[in-house]
Amino acid sequence: MQNTQSTEAYGKERASRYDQFASVTMGDRKRQRSYLQDLLHRQPLAHGAFLDLGCGTGFFSEVLFEHRPDFNGHLVDGSADMLELARQRVQKDGRRVSFQHALFDAIDWPALPVFDVVFSGYAIHHLSDAAKWTLFGRIHASLGPGGAFILFDNFLPRQPDDRDLIEFLTCREIERKTRHVTPLEQIIETDRKLKAAENDQEASFEEHLQQLRAVGFGHVVPVFLEARYGGIVACK
Ligand SMILES: C[S@@+](CC[C@H](N)C(=O)[O-])C[C@H]1O[C@@H](n2cnc3c(N)ncnc32)[C@H](O)[C@@H]1O
């Protein structure tokens, strides 16, 4: 059973501030949405269904629905408060969307439809490595032929010195975005506290590429990597 530490961290108060917080701390969110739009544009869609794993407030699910408003969207998150914000954002007349409040390891995969796209944004790094790779296998099995797993997440190199460098670059960008009001040391301290509270367990970008190939994805393509944040598309 996955532990709930990473979802308990997203209670009502945090959920209500999440989009604002993410716009400052989680890289260039506007550009990340553009990457998702562009990837969807290139993606053959045959089954009419997508899945957003760890949808949060629906920031990226919205892009999926903008691309294909006629599709069935299944949104999963372990935080009821985040999921409620996603509901408010994406549920509109005529849309076919289902919301599931669950941890990833409690998903009943055989009950789900075949997906064209499985997307996950900044959620899977909360899992242990073993749980990540198991989930990758389930995602692969849930996709139709030609389907795509689009993964945006936090990545960290293996070596401690290299991790320090990535932490520095990530926090430096936050310092810049907040116009140097808070000293860098304090930003780093807050960042470490948050990551510990959310039970972050990042693996390296390279390990992700390897494991995606190992579960059977034929084309595994790095899309972007900026300090801690990166994107990969894996096609079946
Ligand atoms: C950093 S937020 C990202 C939200 C959204 N994808 C975005 O990029 O804006 C991570 C989300 O994953 C959810 N989450 C983390 N671990 C989870 C797990 N094991 N099962 C289900 N949801 C999980 C959290 O509740 C949270 O809403």
Side-chain angles (χ1 to χ4, degrees):
M1 177 73 184
Q2 277 159 26
N3 87 39
T4 53
Q5 193 181 341
S6 62
T7 53
E8 280 160 7
Y10 293 92
K12 206 177 188 92
E13 156 69 8
R14 178 100 201 277
S16 67
R17 290 184 290 110
Y18 181 76
D19 284 330
Q20 169 60 25
F21 167 85
S23 71
V24 175
T25 60
M26 296 189 53
D28 189 336
R29 299 271 280 177
K30 214 169 145 193
R31 185 157 57 218
Q32 293 165 18
R33 272 167 79 126
S34 302
Y35 278 131
L36 180 56
Q37 277 160 2
D38 295 346
L39 288 169
L40 292 171
H41 186 75
R42 295 264 304 189
Q43 182 57 33
L45 302 167
H47 299 278
F50 68 80
L51 170 66
D52 187 349
L53 281 175
C55 63
T57 63
F59 180 83
F60 290 108
S61 334
E62 193 171 37
V63 176
L64 293 155
F65 274 116
E66 279 165 6
H67 185 67
R68 287 305 297 259
D70 55 324
F71 266 35
N72 273 315
H74 190 67
L75 277 53
V76 180
D77 203 286
S79 156
D81 294 303
M82 294 291 263
L83 200 61
E84 176 51 31
L85 293 179
R87 186 193 304 278
Q88 289 169 23
R89 181 180 236 142
V90 304
Q91 197 162 49
K92 302 207 168 132
D93 282 351
R95 279 196 184 161
R96 290 173 297 163
V97 50
S98 48
F99 301 89
Q100 185 178 4
H101 177 212
L103 291 176
F104 300 143
D105 66 354
I107 295 173
D108 180 9
W109 292 89
L112 295 176
V114 175
F115 295 111
D116 291 301
V117 173
V118 175
F119 173 78
S120 185
Y122 308 99
I124 294 178
H125 71 280
H126 294 300
L127 310 184
S128 68
D129 286 358
K132 286 184 193 85
W133 317 141
T134 302
L135 184 62
F136 284 2
R138 295 192 174 132
I139 292 168
H140 181 268
S142 76
L143 287 163
F149 173 33
I150 302 174
L151 172 67
F152 293 177
D153 214 334
N154 293 14
F155 302 95
L156 277 182
R158 277 187 192 199
Q159 300 297 328
D161 284 355
D162 301 347
R163 288 180 166 236
D164 285 351
L165 175 62
I166 296 303
E167 176 188 69
F168 168 77
L169 292 173
T170 305
C171 292
R172 207 41 161 178
E173 182 60 15
I174 298 171
E175 187 191 26
R176 220 172 269 128
K177 279 195 189 164
T178 52
R179 297 171 197 276
H180 304 265
V181 171
T182 311
L184 181 64
E185 298 67 38
Q186 208 175 311
I187 295 174
I188 292 179
E189 198 187 316
T190 307
D191 180 68
R192 285 183 186 169
K193 275 191 192 148
L194 274 175
K195 289 173 65 52
E198 291 174 20
N199 195 31
D200 284 4
Q201 306 180 66
E202 293 99 336
S204 71
F205 200 70
E206 292 74 15
E207 271 173 293
H208 279 76
L209 300 176
Q210 268 170 24
Q211 294 291 339
L212 288 164
R213 291 190 183 107
V215 299
F217 284 104
H219 299 270
V220 179
V221 184
V223 175
F224 69 96
L225 185 58
E226 293 177 8
R228 183 186 289 157
Y229 305 108
I232 299 171
V233 61
C235 297
K236 186 161 171 175

